[in-house]
Amino acid sequence: MDAAQSQILQPVPKHSRYLSYQLLPRVAARDALAALQRHAKTAGCVLGLGESLVRAVGASVDGLRESPALAGPGVSVPSTPMALWVWLAGDDRGELLHRGRELTNQLREWFELSGVIDGFRYREGLDLSGYEDGTENPQGEKAVQTAFVPSGKLAGSSFVAVQQWQHELDRFAAMSAEEQDHTIGRRRSDNDEIDDAPASAHVKRTAQESFEPEAFILRRSMPWAESDRAGLVFVAFGKSFDAFEALLERMLGLEDGTTDALFHFTRPLSSSYFWCPPVREGRLDLSALGM
């Protein structure tokens, strides 16, 4: 899709740097967005606007909302709204650091940097648990149909859910190989689904075609590690948040009381929603906001 932020459809890069910002108090939000248009480079980058930033300019985007705080039997997902999210992608971690520094300095009059996460590709695209991530990702035209609003004033834009999950890798390593496979619902040896895996297996909880309507999302997740902590930055693009929320609610056991076995060794630290505007001539197209 020509108007889309192109990095969304690119393969997962070698390195990523995720930056989140809050709007500074008493600044003119329209000036802040104008500065973002001037300074943000859309190549090798994805930019998302939070609901608070959109509302600060007196506008609204149909379907944009804050990530809900949800709780199921013994598990929960927090809500951590941010005004602005920037995903920088590339092959060199140092280069991404400098790109992030430059953008933060250019925006410092309007935005305060609230968080930074460095992501990386593990082997051929594995989660740190050793299992392949994003096996069921849609491809080609199906990916475009899944990730982008097809028509109307929001055509070419996308909605993204961003979560930071922290893994307890020692706990996972203490499981038997069979327990690990049944937690995921696939064999690590060949990535094939396990027909007789328990109902709590992640693959069974999140079988996208088992929902009505089908709940397909485009995943662009990557591992992260900092000191002795590590996990996954879960990034899911869609033409709305509906599919992602359907998956998350089933993982939490809100349908039937069965929680996803992933919660045995990992938990979400944050959860945020953003709208990713389309791009025209290399600049963010904010015409949907009256700009």
Side-chain angles (χ1 to χ4, degrees), residues 146-158:
T146 296
F148 300 104
V149 179
S151 60
K153 70 176 184 178
L154 301 182
S157 66
S158 183

Side-chain angles (χ1 to χ4, degrees), residues 162-178:
V162 183
Q163 298 178 320
Q164 183 181 18
W165 289 70
Q166 181 174 330
H167 295 351
E168 299 297 336
L169 292 172
D170 289 341
R171 182 179 301 166
F172 190 72
M175 297 179 184
S176 68
E178 183 180 41

Side-chain angles (χ1 to χ4, degrees), residues 88-131:
L88 302 176
D91 293 330
D92 188 293
R93 184 175 176 181
E95 182 64 29
L96 296 186
L97 182 146
H98 289 305
R99 285 172 56 191
R101 286 180 55 251
E102 180 182 17
L103 181 62
T104 298
N105 286 333
Q106 291 168 333
L107 299 178
R108 66 171 57 254
E109 184 177 340
W110 301 277
F111 293 96
E112 179 181 29
L113 182 65
S114 297
V116 179
I117 306 172
D118 286 310
F120 56 91
R121 189 170 64 232
Y122 175 46
R123 296 183 179 176
E124 64 273 21
L126 304 181
D127 176 71
L128 291 174
S129 63
Y131 289 82

Side-chain angles (χ1 to χ4, degrees), residues 14-152:
K14 184 177 180 180
H15 291 282
S16 288
R17 191 167 177 87
Y18 307 96
L19 310 173
S20 55
Y21 299 84
Q22 293 288 20
L23 190 67
L24 285 169
R26 296 181 296 279
V27 303
R30 286 189 174 272
D31 291 346
L33 282 177
L36 184 64
Q37 278 185 308
R38 288 195 305 273
H39 297 298
K41 300 177 177 64
T42 57
C45 177
V46 178
L47 299 105
L49 312 183
E51 184 187 35
S52 63
L53 180 55
V54 170
R55 291 193 178 277
V57 298
S60 64
V61 170
D62 188 28
L64 178 62
R65 52 188 179 268
E66 290 186 355
S67 174
L70 297 173
V75 296
S76 63
V77 175
S79 175
T80 55
M82 293 287 166
L84 173 65
W85 175 72
V86 179
W87 169 27
L88 302 176
D91 293 330
D92 188 293
R93 184 175 176 181
E95 182 64 29
L96 296 186
L97 182 146
H98 289 305
R99 285 172 56 191
R101 286 180 55 251
E102 180 182 17
L103 181 62
T104 298
N105 286 333
Q106 291 168 333
L107 299 178
R108 66 171 57 254
E109 184 177 340
W110 301 277
F111 293 96
E112 179 181 29
L113 182 65
S114 297
V116 179
I117 306 172
D118 286 310
F120 56 91
R121 189 170 64 232
Y122 175 46
R123 296 183 179 176
E124 64 273 21
L126 304 181
D127 176 71
L128 291 174
S129 63
Y131 289 82
E132 184 175 322
D133 184 65
T135 300
E136 299 295 333
N137 250 351
Q139 304 294 323
E141 185 58 30
K142 180 67 173 179
V144 174
Q145 295 170 358
T146 296
F148 300 104
V149 179
S151 60

Side-chain angles (χ1 to χ4, degrees), residues 187-204:
R187 286 189 296 270
R188 180 159 45 193
S189 59
D190 57 14
N191 201 40
D192 283 347
E193 288 191 30
I194 302 171
D195 292 337
D196 61 349
S200 61
H202 179 59
V203 166
K204 289 194 172 182

